[in-house]
């Protein structure tokens, strides 16, 4: 498909980013990227299942909450909240609009 740039199929350089913007390309994960992501997920699932030790940021909280163990049924929520916390305050800054 011509209107698509496949993320994970090559280096993401400034030239590529410029092309994505100028040609209004849609972004999709490349099949090889999906395979790599799945391999990492399978590894972590196996590590969680076989480890008696907490895995920082995977089965525990972050920072000062590193001693808090997260139950298996709350792991998805932990990761979702991590993404949300990193997405806070995303966007342009226009200081004049606050005056």
């Amino acid at each position: 498909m011509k209107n698509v740039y496949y993320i994970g199929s090559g280096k993401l350089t400034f030239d590529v980013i410029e092309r994505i913007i100028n040609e209004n390309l849609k972004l999709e994960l490349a099949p090889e990227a999906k395979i790599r992501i799945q391999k990492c997920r399978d590894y972590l699932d196996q590590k969680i299942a076989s480890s008696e030790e907490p895995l920082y940021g995977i089965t525990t909280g972050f920072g000062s909450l590193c001693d808090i163990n997260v139950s298996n049924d709350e792991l998805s929520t932990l990761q979702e909240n991590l993404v949300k916390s990193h997405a806070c305050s995303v966007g342009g800054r226009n200081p004049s609009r606050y005056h």
Side-chain angles (χ1 to χ4, degrees):
M1 195 180 234
K2 250 184 181 177
N3 298 350
V4 175
Y5 178 81
Y6 291 95
I7 300 289
S9 61
K11 290 185 178 181
L12 190 59
T13 64
F14 285 113
D15 290 336
V16 171
I17 293 170
E18 184 176 39
R19 187 175 144 242
I20 290 167
I21 293 168
N22 291 336
E23 296 178 25
N24 197 28
L25 299 178
K26 296 187 184 332
L27 302 177
E28 288 186 22
L29 279 175
E32 59 268 26
K34 290 179 183 181
I35 290 168
R36 289 193 309 268
I37 291 168
Q38 188 60 57
K39 282 183 180 180
C40 289
R41 174 60 191 255
D42 293 344
Y43 170 80
L44 283 176
D45 286 345
Q46 183 275 329
K47 191 75 169 165
I48 291 168
S50 66
S51 180
E52 292 182 25
E53 297 289 320
L55 304 170
Y56 177 77
I58 298 170
T59 61
T60 71
F62 303 92
S64 63
L65 300 175
C66 67
D67 294 330
I68 304 297
N69 289 317
V70 179
S71 65
N72 286 341
D73 59 325
E74 293 178 317
L75 293 179
S76 291
T77 303
L78 174 70
Q79 296 305 313
E80 183 179 328
N81 287 341
L82 175 65
V83 171
K84 286 179 182 177
S85 73
H86 283 74
C88 289
S89 300
V90 170
R93 258 183 93 182
N94 184 352
S96 64
R97 78 174 216 216
Y98 300 110
H99 298 299

